[in-house]
Amino acid sequence: MIQVYFDPNFLFNELLDYYAPVIIKIEDQMFIDLHSLSIVNLLGAEPVEKRPIEVYGLLLMLYEFQRDNIPETVELLKFNDENLDKFKISNLVALKDLYYNNLPSKRLLRLENTLNDCEIILSLCNQYVIQNKELFQDRKLEILLEVISITEVRKLSEERAIPFVMKQPFIFSFDLSNVKFEVAYEFIQGLDKLNDKLTLRVPKIYEYAVDKIKILDKLLSSIDRKSLTNVSFVFTSIDDLIAELIYFKSIIDEIESLDE
């Protein structure tokens, strides 16, 4: 027999869509699957029992199946306090993704789980872009929003000492593997508020910048998007970037004067 415990806000068949976590009980042993990959063989099967249950202070739904096999490739975590924190973090992110995905009006950024341990990503929401396609006809606005987002997200990650990287343009990745749930909760709430703030600002930014950013055609067309993203990520501010460019120019000027 296999017992699967999961957040009752999800339908069983929705868990994989959001990489929501589950607790698995096989015989007398309990494990945590952060991404629900272990339930693949159970999709479509009829549970012999369904009921709500409280587990370590969490109200969960219990599904019991007359099976005892899970995919061998699935990595299950031991059920302990540290991994229970990971369960809570992954579940919180999945719940937010579920909630905002079901709202008719989308926000600028989407927060979601990944398959890499307790890693989450914040990225440009494709549905938001589709709903506001008139604002994104010029790709320069997207680049401008990305640079603004990098600055704001960096502040939040540094305040909480959360590791933060950019693997692709407009995709911010955070590793919460070694973060306590309470800290992760405050950080995720901060990302939530930031997302609301940025979403409200987009029309104002567009109205202000739509004509001004046309002047940047030469700059933005000569730089690869990923290279620009890397530069924006590495430098803590535009002022720091300008300072280094000025210093770089002074070196070139001095070199050119060596032969004079």
Side-chain angles (χ1 to χ4, degrees), residues 10 18-21 86-100 110-114 118-122 176 181 184-185 187-188 191:
F10 293 99
Y18 297 94
Y19 296 145
K86 290 185 178 183
F87 175 93
K88 293 177 182 178
I89 293 169
S90 180
N91 192 63
L92 174 62
V93 174
L95 282 173
K96 286 191 174 292
D97 195 10
L98 172 70
Y99 174 73
Y100 287 111
R110 179 184 177 185
L111 182 68
E112 56 190 317
N113 284 313
T114 75
C118 203
E119 176 192 63
I120 64 175
I121 60 172
L122 188 70
L176 303 179
F181 174 70
Y185 177 84
F187 176 66
I188 292 168
L191 289 178

PDB file of all heavy atoms in Angstrom, residues 10 18-21 86-100 110-114 118-122 176 181 184-185 187-188 191:
ATOM      1  N   PHE A  10      -5.179  21.395  -3.850  1.00  0.00           N
ATOM      2  CA  PHE A  10      -4.900  20.834  -5.165  1.00  0.00           C
ATOM      3  C   PHE A  10      -5.772  19.609  -5.428  1.00  0.00           C
ATOM      4  O   PHE A  10      -6.046  18.818  -4.510  1.00  0.00           O
ATOM      5  CB  PHE A  10      -3.432  20.389  -5.273  1.00  0.00           C
ATOM      6  CG  PHE A  10      -2.447  21.516  -5.225  1.00  0.00           C
ATOM      7  CD1 PHE A  10      -1.787  21.827  -4.045  1.00  0.00           C
ATOM      8  CD2 PHE A  10      -2.170  22.258  -6.363  1.00  0.00           C
ATOM      9  CE1 PHE A  10      -0.870  22.862  -4.003  1.00  0.00           C
ATOM     10  CE2 PHE A  10      -1.253  23.300  -6.322  1.00  0.00           C
ATOM     11  CZ  PHE A  10      -0.604  23.598  -5.138  1.00  0.00           C
ATOM     12  N   TYR A  18       2.129  21.826 -11.035  1.00  0.00           N
ATOM     13  CA  TYR A  18       2.754  22.888 -10.241  1.00  0.00           C
ATOM     14  C   TYR A  18       3.990  22.395  -9.487  1.00  0.00           C
ATOM     15  O   TYR A  18       4.531  23.128  -8.669  1.00  0.00           O
ATOM     16  CB  TYR A  18       1.730  23.464  -9.259  1.00  0.00           C
ATOM     17  CG  TYR A  18       0.560  24.110  -9.969  1.00  0.00           C
ATOM     18  CD1 TYR A  18      -0.609  23.397 -10.221  1.00  0.00           C
ATOM     19  CD2 TYR A  18       0.639  25.414 -10.432  1.00  0.00           C
ATOM     20  CE1 TYR A  18      -1.680  23.978 -10.900  1.00  0.00           C
ATOM     21  CE2 TYR A  18      -0.418  26.007 -11.108  1.00  0.00           C
ATOM     22  CZ  TYR A  18      -1.567  25.281 -11.342  1.00  0.00           C
ATOM     23  OH  TYR A  18      -2.609  25.852 -12.022  1.00  0.00           O
ATOM     24  N   TYR A  19       4.421  21.168  -9.772  1.00  0.00           N
ATOM     25  CA  TYR A  19       5.528  20.557  -9.035  1.00  0.00           C
ATOM     26  C   TYR A  19       5.295  20.695  -7.532  1.00  0.00           C
ATOM     27  O   TYR A  19       6.221  20.982  -6.758  1.00  0.00           O
ATOM     28  CB  TYR A  19       6.872  21.178  -9.419  1.00  0.00           C
ATOM     29  CG  TYR A  19       7.266  20.949 -10.871  1.00  0.00           C
ATOM     30  CD1 TYR A  19       7.963  21.909 -11.580  1.00  0.00           C
ATOM     31  CD2 TYR A  19       6.945  19.759 -11.517  1.00  0.00           C
ATOM     32  CE1 TYR A  19       8.326  21.703 -12.918  1.00  0.00           C
ATOM     33  CE2 TYR A  19       7.301  19.550 -12.839  1.00  0.00           C
ATOM     34  CZ  TYR A  19       7.990  20.524 -13.535  1.00  0.00           C
ATOM     35  OH  TYR A  19       8.338  20.321 -14.844  1.00  0.00           O
ATOM     36  N   ALA A  20       4.050  20.521  -7.137  1.00  0.00           N
ATOM     37  CA  ALA A  20       3.697  20.614  -5.715  1.00  0.00           C
ATOM     38  C   ALA A  20       4.239  19.388  -4.980  1.00  0.00           C
ATOM     39  O   ALA A  20       4.299  18.297  -5.549  1.00  0.00           O
ATOM     40  CB  ALA A  20       2.180  20.709  -5.561  1.00  0.00           C
ATOM     41  N   PRO A  21       4.627  19.537  -3.726  1.00  0.00           N
ATOM     42  CA  PRO A  21       5.226  18.417  -2.998  1.00  0.00           C
ATOM     43  C   PRO A  21       4.181  17.464  -2.416  1.00  0.00           C
ATOM     44  O   PRO A  21       3.025  17.839  -2.213  1.00  0.00           O
ATOM     45  CB  PRO A  21       5.986  19.118  -1.875  1.00  0.00           C
ATOM     46  CG  PRO A  21       5.142  20.321  -1.580  1.00  0.00           C
ATOM     47  CD  PRO A  21       4.588  20.769  -2.903  1.00  0.00           C
ATOM     48  N   LYS A  86      11.409  22.170   3.599  1.00  0.00           N
ATOM     49  CA  LYS A  86      11.424  22.207   2.131  1.00  0.00           C
ATOM     50  C   LYS A  86      10.038  21.924   1.573  1.00  0.00           C
ATOM     51  O   LYS A  86       9.608  22.550   0.585  1.00  0.00           O
ATOM     52  CB  LYS A  86      12.425  21.183   1.586  1.00  0.00           C
ATOM     53  CG  LYS A  86      13.881  21.523   1.829  1.00  0.00           C
ATOM     54  CD  LYS A  86      14.787  20.512   1.146  1.00  0.00           C
ATOM     55  CE  LYS A  86      16.250  20.850   1.339  1.00  0.00           C
ATOM     56  NZ  LYS A  86      17.146  19.921   0.614  1.00  0.00           N
ATOM     57  N   PHE A  87       9.334  20.978   2.191  1.00  0.00           N
ATOM     58  CA  PHE A  87       7.963  20.667   1.779  1.00  0.00           C
ATOM     59  C   PHE A  87       7.082  21.913   1.876  1.00  0.00           C
ATOM     60  O   PHE A  87       6.347  22.250   0.949  1.00  0.00           O
ATOM     61  CB  PHE A  87       7.393  19.549   2.663  1.00  0.00           C
ATOM     62  CG  PHE A  87       5.937  19.242   2.396  1.00  0.00           C
ATOM     63  CD1 PHE A  87       5.579  18.247   1.489  1.00  0.00           C
ATOM     64  CD2 PHE A  87       4.935  19.943   3.052  1.00  0.00           C
ATOM     65  CE1 PHE A  87       4.237  17.967   1.242  1.00  0.00           C
ATOM     66  CE2 PHE A  87       3.590  19.669   2.814  1.00  0.00           C
ATOM     67  CZ  PHE A  87       3.244  18.683   1.901  1.00  0.00           C
ATOM     68  N   LYS A  88       7.179  22.613   2.999  1.00  0.00           N
ATOM     69  CA  LYS A  88       6.349  23.803   3.218  1.00  0.00           C
ATOM     70  C   LYS A  88       6.671  24.901   2.200  1.00  0.00           C
ATOM     71  O   LYS A  88       5.776  25.581   1.701  1.00  0.00           O
ATOM     72  CB  LYS A  88       6.561  24.331   4.642  1.00  0.00           C
ATOM     73  CG  LYS A  88       6.040  23.407   5.741  1.00  0.00           C
ATOM     74  CD  LYS A  88       6.375  23.993   7.114  1.00  0.00           C
ATOM     75  CE  LYS A  88       5.936  23.093   8.244  1.00  0.00           C
ATOM     76  NZ  LYS A  88       6.307  23.659   9.578  1.00  0.00           N
ATOM     77  N   ILE A  89       7.977  25.086   1.917  1.00  0.00           N
ATOM     78  CA  ILE A  89       8.382  26.120   0.963  1.00  0.00           C
ATOM     79  C   ILE A  89       7.857  25.790  -0.432  1.00  0.00           C
ATOM     80  O   ILE A  89       7.251  26.632  -1.106  1.00  0.00           O
ATOM     81  CB  ILE A  89       9.916  26.258   0.937  1.00  0.00           C
ATOM     82  CG1 ILE A  89      10.432  26.808   2.278  1.00  0.00           C
ATOM     83  CG2 ILE A  89      10.360  27.166  -0.211  1.00  0.00           C
ATOM     84  CD1 ILE A  89      11.944  26.727   2.441  1.00  0.00           C
ATOM     85  N   SER A  90       8.098  24.564  -0.867  1.00  0.00           N
ATOM     86  CA  SER A  90       7.655  24.139  -2.197  1.00  0.00           C
ATOM     87  C   SER A  90       6.138  24.226  -2.312  1.00  0.00           C
ATOM     88  O   SER A  90       5.599  24.647  -3.341  1.00  0.00           O
ATOM     89  CB  SER A  90       8.117  22.704  -2.464  1.00  0.00           C
ATOM     90  OG  SER A  90       7.710  22.266  -3.738  1.00  0.00           O
ATOM     91  N   ASN A  91       5.440  23.860  -1.246  1.00  0.00           N
ATOM     92  CA  ASN A  91       3.976  23.906  -1.257  1.00  0.00           C
ATOM     93  C   ASN A  91       3.465  25.343  -1.320  1.00  0.00           C
ATOM     94  O   ASN A  91       2.489  25.639  -2.026  1.00  0.00           O
ATOM     95  CB  ASN A  91       3.426  23.207  -0.016  1.00  0.00           C
ATOM     96  CG  ASN A  91       1.934  22.960  -0.094  1.00  0.00           C
ATOM     97  OD1 ASN A  91       1.479  22.225  -0.971  1.00  0.00           O
ATOM     98  ND2 ASN A  91       1.174  23.570   0.793  1.00  0.00           N
ATOM     99  N   LEU A  92       4.121  26.247  -0.590  1.00  0.00           N
ATOM    100  CA  LEU A  92       3.725  27.662  -0.613  1.00  0.00           C
ATOM    101  C   LEU A  92       3.849  28.236  -2.017  1.00  0.00           C
ATOM    102  O   LEU A  92       2.940  28.933  -2.504  1.00  0.00           O
ATOM    103  CB  LEU A  92       4.602  28.455   0.362  1.00  0.00           C
ATOM    104  CG  LEU A  92       4.418  29.977   0.362  1.00  0.00           C
ATOM    105  CD1 LEU A  92       3.000  30.351   0.779  1.00  0.00           C
ATOM    106  CD2 LEU A  92       5.443  30.638   1.290  1.00  0.00           C
ATOM    107  N   VAL A  93       4.952  27.942  -2.685  1.00  0.00           N
ATOM    108  CA  VAL A  93       5.166  28.447  -4.048  1.00  0.00           C
ATOM    109  C   VAL A  93       4.128  27.851  -5.001  1.00  0.00           C
ATOM    110  O   VAL A  93       3.557  28.554  -5.846  1.00  0.00           O
ATOM    111  CB  VAL A  93       6.594  28.122  -4.530  1.00  0.00           C
ATOM    112  CG1 VAL A  93       6.769  28.506  -6.001  1.00  0.00           C
ATOM    113  CG2 VAL A  93       7.616  28.848  -3.668  1.00  0.00           C
ATOM    114  N   ALA A  94       3.863  26.554  -4.854  1.00  0.00           N
ATOM    115  CA  ALA A  94       2.876  25.895  -5.714  1.00  0.00           C
ATOM    116  C   ALA A  94       1.484  26.496  -5.505  1.00  0.00           C
ATOM    117  O   ALA A  94       0.728  26.691  -6.464  1.00  0.00           O
ATOM    118  CB  ALA A  94       2.856  24.396  -5.434  1.00  0.00           C
ATOM    119  N   LEU A  95       1.138  26.803  -4.257  1.00  0.00           N
ATOM    120  CA  LEU A  95      -0.162  27.409  -3.961  1.00  0.00           C
ATOM    121  C   LEU A  95      -0.292  28.790  -4.603  1.00  0.00           C
ATOM    122  O   LEU A  95      -1.350  29.142  -5.149  1.00  0.00           O
ATOM    123  CB  LEU A  95      -0.369  27.513  -2.445  1.00  0.00           C
ATOM    124  CG  LEU A  95      -0.764  26.236  -1.717  1.00  0.00           C
ATOM    125  CD1 LEU A  95      -0.769  26.472  -0.205  1.00  0.00           C
ATOM    126  CD2 LEU A  95      -2.136  25.755  -2.168  1.00  0.00           C
ATOM    127  N   LYS A  96       0.775  29.580  -4.528  1.00  0.00           N
ATOM    128  CA  LYS A  96       0.729  30.917  -5.137  1.00  0.00           C
ATOM    129  C   LYS A  96       0.614  30.802  -6.654  1.00  0.00           C
ATOM    130  O   LYS A  96      -0.131  31.561  -7.289  1.00  0.00           O
ATOM    131  CB  LYS A  96       1.974  31.722  -4.744  1.00  0.00           C
ATOM    132  CG  LYS A  96       1.935  32.197  -3.297  1.00  0.00           C
ATOM    133  CD  LYS A  96       3.012  33.206  -2.990  1.00  0.00           C
ATOM    134  CE  LYS A  96       2.844  33.753  -1.576  1.00  0.00           C
ATOM    135  NZ  LYS A  96       1.632  34.576  -1.431  1.00  0.00           N
ATOM    136  N   ASP A  97       1.338  29.858  -7.229  1.00  0.00           N
ATOM    137  CA  ASP A  97       1.271  29.646  -8.673  1.00  0.00           C
ATOM    138  C   ASP A  97      -0.152  29.231  -9.075  1.00  0.00           C
ATOM    139  O   ASP A  97      -0.704  29.727 -10.062  1.00  0.00           O
ATOM    140  CB  ASP A  97       2.279  28.564  -9.074  1.00  0.00           C
ATOM    141  CG  ASP A  97       2.539  28.544 -10.574  1.00  0.00           C
ATOM    142  OD1 ASP A  97       2.093  29.473 -11.282  1.00  0.00           O
ATOM    143  OD2 ASP A  97       3.198  27.600 -11.045  1.00  0.00           O
ATOM    144  N   LEU A  98      -0.745  28.333  -8.303  1.00  0.00           N
ATOM    145  CA  LEU A  98      -2.116  27.887  -8.556  1.00  0.00           C
ATOM    146  C   LEU A  98      -3.103  29.043  -8.464  1.00  0.00           C
ATOM    147  O   LEU A  98      -3.957  29.229  -9.343  1.00  0.00           O
ATOM    148  CB  LEU A  98      -2.499  26.796  -7.544  1.00  0.00           C
ATOM    149  CG  LEU A  98      -3.963  26.350  -7.530  1.00  0.00           C
ATOM    150  CD1 LEU A  98      -4.294  25.572  -8.803  1.00  0.00           C
ATOM    151  CD2 LEU A  98      -4.254  25.503  -6.288  1.00  0.00           C
ATOM    152  N   TYR A  99      -2.975  29.844  -7.410  1.00  0.00           N
ATOM    153  CA  TYR A  99      -3.912  30.946  -7.176  1.00  0.00           C
ATOM    154  C   TYR A  99      -3.865  31.968  -8.309  1.00  0.00           C
ATOM    155  O   TYR A  99      -4.895  32.328  -8.889  1.00  0.00           O
ATOM    156  CB  TYR A  99      -3.576  31.625  -5.843  1.00  0.00           C
ATOM    157  CG  TYR A  99      -4.397  32.869  -5.569  1.00  0.00           C
ATOM    158  CD1 TYR A  99      -5.742  32.787  -5.212  1.00  0.00           C
ATOM    159  CD2 TYR A  99      -3.824  34.137  -5.700  1.00  0.00           C
ATOM    160  CE1 TYR A  99      -6.494  33.927  -4.975  1.00  0.00           C
ATOM    161  CE2 TYR A  99      -4.562  35.283  -5.463  1.00  0.00           C
ATOM    162  CZ  TYR A  99      -5.906  35.171  -5.103  1.00  0.00           C
ATOM    163  OH  TYR A  99      -6.645  36.314  -4.898  1.00  0.00           O
ATOM    164  N   TYR A 100      -2.652  32.423  -8.641  1.00  0.00           N
ATOM    165  CA  TYR A 100      -2.535  33.471  -9.655  1.00  0.00           C
ATOM    166  C   TYR A 100      -2.787  32.936 -11.066  1.00  0.00           C
ATOM    167  O   TYR A 100      -3.220  33.684 -11.946  1.00  0.00           O
ATOM    168  CB  TYR A 100      -1.176  34.155  -9.559  1.00  0.00           C
ATOM    169  CG  TYR A 100      -1.083  35.047  -8.344  1.00  0.00           C
ATOM    170  CD1 TYR A 100      -0.257  34.722  -7.266  1.00  0.00           C
ATOM    171  CD2 TYR A 100      -1.848  36.205  -8.250  1.00  0.00           C
ATOM    172  CE1 TYR A 100      -0.196  35.535  -6.140  1.00  0.00           C
ATOM    173  CE2 TYR A 100      -1.785  37.021  -7.131  1.00  0.00           C
ATOM    174  CZ  TYR A 100      -0.966  36.679  -6.080  1.00  0.00           C
ATOM    175  OH  TYR A 100      -0.919  37.479  -4.964  1.00  0.00           O
ATOM    176  N   ARG A 110       5.812  35.591 -12.936  1.00  0.00           N
ATOM    177  CA  ARG A 110       5.251  34.332 -12.444  1.00  0.00           C
ATOM    178  C   ARG A 110       6.267  33.648 -11.532  1.00  0.00           C
ATOM    179  O   ARG A 110       7.440  33.492 -11.893  1.00  0.00           O
ATOM    180  CB  ARG A 110       4.912  33.403 -13.608  1.00  0.00           C
ATOM    181  CG  ARG A 110       4.344  32.064 -13.142  1.00  0.00           C
ATOM    182  CD  ARG A 110       4.101  31.107 -14.288  1.00  0.00           C
ATOM    183  NE  ARG A 110       3.615  29.821 -13.793  1.00  0.00           N
ATOM    184  CZ  ARG A 110       3.406  28.742 -14.547  1.00  0.00           C
ATOM    185  NH1 ARG A 110       3.635  28.801 -15.846  1.00  0.00           N
ATOM    186  NH2 ARG A 110       2.972  27.616 -14.005  1.00  0.00           N
ATOM    187  N   LEU A 111       5.809  33.242 -10.361  1.00  0.00           N
ATOM    188  CA  LEU A 111       6.649  32.521  -9.405  1.00  0.00           C
ATOM    189  C   LEU A 111       6.277  31.045  -9.460  1.00  0.00           C
ATOM    190  O   LEU A 111       5.099  30.700  -9.374  1.00  0.00           O
ATOM    191  CB  LEU A 111       6.425  33.062  -7.992  1.00  0.00           C
ATOM    192  CG  LEU A 111       7.265  32.448  -6.870  1.00  0.00           C
ATOM    193  CD1 LEU A 111       8.736  32.820  -7.030  1.00  0.00           C
ATOM    194  CD2 LEU A 111       6.761  32.895  -5.503  1.00  0.00           C
ATOM    195  N   GLU A 112       7.287  30.172  -9.607  1.00  0.00           N
ATOM    196  CA  GLU A 112       6.985  28.745  -9.718  1.00  0.00           C
ATOM    197  C   GLU A 112       8.142  27.888  -9.221  1.00  0.00           C
ATOM    198  O   GLU A 112       9.282  28.341  -9.109  1.00  0.00           O
ATOM    199  CB  GLU A 112       6.636  28.380 -11.158  1.00  0.00           C
ATOM    200  CG  GLU A 112       7.710  28.744 -12.162  1.00  0.00           C
ATOM    201  CD  GLU A 112       7.253  28.598 -13.593  1.00  0.00           C
ATOM    202  OE1 GLU A 112       6.589  27.590 -13.920  1.00  0.00           O
ATOM    203  OE2 GLU A 112       7.549  29.501 -14.397  1.00  0.00           O
ATOM    204  N   ASN A 113       7.829  26.633  -8.936  1.00  0.00           N
ATOM    205  CA  ASN A 113       8.828  25.657  -8.529  1.00  0.00           C
ATOM    206  C   ASN A 113       9.604  25.157  -9.747  1.00  0.00           C
ATOM    207  O   ASN A 113       9.138  25.243 -10.881  1.00  0.00           O
ATOM    208  CB  ASN A 113       8.156  24.457  -7.858  1.00  0.00           C
ATOM    209  CG  ASN A 113       7.694  24.758  -6.445  1.00  0.00           C
ATOM    210  OD1 ASN A 113       8.431  25.329  -5.653  1.00  0.00           O
ATOM    211  ND2 ASN A 113       6.482  24.366  -6.101  1.00  0.00           N
ATOM    212  N   THR A 114      10.790  24.615  -9.475  1.00  0.00           N
ATOM    213  CA  THR A 114      11.544  23.908 -10.509  1.00  0.00           C
ATOM    214  C   THR A 114      11.769  22.473 -10.005  1.00  0.00           C
ATOM    215  O   THR A 114      11.380  22.119  -8.896  1.00  0.00           O
ATOM    216  CB  THR A 114      12.912  24.559 -10.776  1.00  0.00           C
ATOM    217  OG1 THR A 114      13.812  24.248  -9.700  1.00  0.00           O
ATOM    218  CG2 THR A 114      12.788  26.075 -10.916  1.00  0.00           C
ATOM    219  N   CYS A 118      15.108  22.553  -3.857  1.00  0.00           N
ATOM    220  CA  CYS A 118      14.167  23.582  -3.388  1.00  0.00           C
ATOM    221  C   CYS A 118      14.481  24.908  -4.088  1.00  0.00           C
ATOM    222  O   CYS A 118      14.629  25.939  -3.447  1.00  0.00           O
ATOM    223  CB  CYS A 118      14.274  23.729  -1.875  1.00  0.00           C
ATOM    224  SG  CYS A 118      12.796  24.415  -1.109  1.00  0.00           S
ATOM    225  N   GLU A 119      14.560  24.860  -5.402  1.00  0.00           N
ATOM    226  CA  GLU A 119      14.824  26.049  -6.211  1.00  0.00           C
ATOM    227  C   GLU A 119      13.511  26.582  -6.767  1.00  0.00           C
ATOM    228  O   GLU A 119      12.642  25.816  -7.184  1.00  0.00           O
ATOM    229  CB  GLU A 119      15.760  25.703  -7.367  1.00  0.00           C
ATOM    230  CG  GLU A 119      16.027  26.855  -8.320  1.00  0.00           C
ATOM    231  CD  GLU A 119      16.705  26.407  -9.604  1.00  0.00           C
ATOM    232  OE1 GLU A 119      16.089  25.618 -10.353  1.00  0.00           O
ATOM    233  OE2 GLU A 119      17.836  26.842  -9.853  1.00  0.00           O
ATOM    234  N   ILE A 120      13.369  27.909  -6.759  1.00  0.00           N
ATOM    235  CA  ILE A 120      12.189  28.539  -7.347  1.00  0.00           C
ATOM    236  C   ILE A 120      12.644  29.576  -8.371  1.00  0.00           C
ATOM    237  O   ILE A 120      13.775  30.059  -8.296  1.00  0.00           O
ATOM    238  CB  ILE A 120      11.283  29.208  -6.287  1.00  0.00           C
ATOM    239  CG1 ILE A 120      12.021  30.365  -5.589  1.00  0.00           C
ATOM    240  CG2 ILE A 120      10.818  28.179  -5.258  1.00  0.00           C
ATOM    241  CD1 ILE A 120      11.149  31.154  -4.622  1.00  0.00           C
ATOM    242  N   ILE A 121      11.776  29.877  -9.327  1.00  0.00           N
ATOM    243  CA  ILE A 121      12.122  30.888 -10.317  1.00  0.00           C
ATOM    244  C   ILE A 121      11.012  31.930 -10.419  1.00  0.00           C
ATOM    245  O   ILE A 121       9.836  31.648 -10.211  1.00  0.00           O
ATOM    246  CB  ILE A 121      12.400  30.286 -11.711  1.00  0.00           C
ATOM    247  CG1 ILE A 121      11.178  29.528 -12.245  1.00  0.00           C
ATOM    248  CG2 ILE A 121      13.633  29.422 -11.698  1.00  0.00           C
ATOM    249  CD1 ILE A 121      11.344  29.076 -13.682  1.00  0.00           C
ATOM    250  N   LEU A 122      11.454  33.137 -10.720  1.00  0.00           N
ATOM    251  CA  LEU A 122      10.561  34.269 -10.977  1.00  0.00           C
ATOM    252  C   LEU A 122      10.854  34.715 -12.398  1.00  0.00           C
ATOM    253  O   LEU A 122      12.001  35.045 -12.718  1.00  0.00           O
ATOM    254  CB  LEU A 122      10.843  35.393  -9.982  1.00  0.00           C
ATOM    255  CG  LEU A 122       9.895  36.597  -9.965  1.00  0.00           C
ATOM    256  CD1 LEU A 122       8.538  36.201  -9.402  1.00  0.00           C
ATOM    257  CD2 LEU A 122      10.489  37.740  -9.151  1.00  0.00           C
ATOM    258  N   LEU A 176      16.497  27.915  -2.235  1.00  0.00           N
ATOM    259  CA  LEU A 176      15.997  27.952  -0.858  1.00  0.00           C
ATOM    260  C   LEU A 176      16.269  26.645  -0.117  1.00  0.00           C
ATOM    261  O   LEU A 176      15.645  26.360   0.907  1.00  0.00           O
ATOM    262  CB  LEU A 176      14.478  28.235  -0.872  1.00  0.00           C
ATOM    263  CG  LEU A 176      14.056  29.531  -1.580  1.00  0.00           C
ATOM    264  CD1 LEU A 176      12.533  29.674  -1.541  1.00  0.00           C
ATOM    265  CD2 LEU A 176      14.714  30.739  -0.966  1.00  0.00           C
ATOM    266  N   PHE A 181      11.916  27.823   6.810  1.00  0.00           N
ATOM    267  CA  PHE A 181      10.627  28.164   6.228  1.00  0.00           C
ATOM    268  C   PHE A 181      10.208  29.590   6.557  1.00  0.00           C
ATOM    269  O   PHE A 181       9.683  30.310   5.698  1.00  0.00           O
ATOM    270  CB  PHE A 181       9.547  27.187   6.704  1.00  0.00           C
ATOM    271  CG  PHE A 181       8.162  27.589   6.249  1.00  0.00           C
ATOM    272  CD1 PHE A 181       7.802  27.506   4.912  1.00  0.00           C
ATOM    273  CD2 PHE A 181       7.232  28.079   7.166  1.00  0.00           C
ATOM    274  CE1 PHE A 181       6.538  27.896   4.481  1.00  0.00           C
ATOM    275  CE2 PHE A 181       5.962  28.468   6.742  1.00  0.00           C
ATOM    276  CZ  PHE A 181       5.620  28.378   5.394  1.00  0.00           C
ATOM    277  N   ALA A 184      12.050  31.924   4.308  1.00  0.00           N
ATOM    278  CA  ALA A 184      11.559  31.745   2.939  1.00  0.00           C
ATOM    279  C   ALA A 184      10.172  32.359   2.782  1.00  0.00           C
ATOM    280  O   ALA A 184       9.867  32.977   1.749  1.00  0.00           O
ATOM    281  CB  ALA A 184      11.525  30.265   2.575  1.00  0.00           C
ATOM    282  N   TYR A 185       9.337  32.202   3.801  1.00  0.00           N
ATOM    283  CA  TYR A 185       7.977  32.752   3.751  1.00  0.00           C
ATOM    284  C   TYR A 185       8.018  34.278   3.595  1.00  0.00           C
ATOM    285  O   TYR A 185       7.311  34.842   2.743  1.00  0.00           O
ATOM    286  CB  TYR A 185       7.216  32.371   5.022  1.00  0.00           C
ATOM    287  CG  TYR A 185       5.815  32.956   5.082  1.00  0.00           C
ATOM    288  CD1 TYR A 185       4.755  32.312   4.458  1.00  0.00           C
ATOM    289  CD2 TYR A 185       5.566  34.151   5.756  1.00  0.00           C
ATOM    290  CE1 TYR A 185       3.469  32.851   4.499  1.00  0.00           C
ATOM    291  CE2 TYR A 185       4.291  34.693   5.808  1.00  0.00           C
ATOM    292  CZ  TYR A 185       3.251  34.030   5.183  1.00  0.00           C
ATOM    293  OH  TYR A 185       1.979  34.577   5.219  1.00  0.00           O
ATOM    294  N   PHE A 187      10.461  36.070   2.466  1.00  0.00           N
ATOM    295  CA  PHE A 187      11.048  36.387   1.168  1.00  0.00           C
ATOM    296  C   PHE A 187      10.021  36.252   0.047  1.00  0.00           C
ATOM    297  O   PHE A 187       9.905  37.129  -0.820  1.00  0.00           O
ATOM    298  CB  PHE A 187      12.241  35.462   0.899  1.00  0.00           C
ATOM    299  CG  PHE A 187      12.861  35.634  -0.454  1.00  0.00           C
ATOM    300  CD1 PHE A 187      13.506  36.808  -0.807  1.00  0.00           C
ATOM    301  CD2 PHE A 187      12.808  34.603  -1.390  1.00  0.00           C
ATOM    302  CE1 PHE A 187      14.071  36.973  -2.065  1.00  0.00           C
ATOM    303  CE2 PHE A 187      13.368  34.758  -2.642  1.00  0.00           C
ATOM    304  CZ  PHE A 187      14.004  35.935  -2.980  1.00  0.00           C
ATOM    305  N   ILE A 188       9.267  35.172   0.067  1.00  0.00           N
ATOM    306  CA  ILE A 188       8.254  34.932  -0.969  1.00  0.00           C
ATOM    307  C   ILE A 188       7.145  35.970  -0.890  1.00  0.00           C
ATOM    308  O   ILE A 188       6.638  36.444  -1.915  1.00  0.00           O
ATOM    309  CB  ILE A 188       7.695  33.496  -0.844  1.00  0.00           C
ATOM    310  CG1 ILE A 188       8.790  32.485  -1.221  1.00  0.00           C
ATOM    311  CG2 ILE A 188       6.470  33.303  -1.731  1.00  0.00           C
ATOM    312  CD1 ILE A 188       8.465  31.058  -0.862  1.00  0.00           C
ATOM    313  N   LEU A 191       8.503  38.978  -2.589  1.00  0.00           N
ATOM    314  CA  LEU A 191       8.418  38.846  -4.040  1.00  0.00           C
ATOM    315  C   LEU A 191       6.995  39.106  -4.527  1.00  0.00           C
ATOM    316  O   LEU A 191       6.784  39.717  -5.582  1.00  0.00           O
ATOM    317  CB  LEU A 191       8.867  37.440  -4.470  1.00  0.00           C
ATOM    318  CG  LEU A 191      10.347  37.096  -4.347  1.00  0.00           C
ATOM    319  CD1 LEU A 191      10.589  35.655  -4.767  1.00  0.00           C
ATOM    320  CD2 LEU A 191      11.208  38.032  -5.198  1.00  0.00           C
TER     321      LEU A 191
END
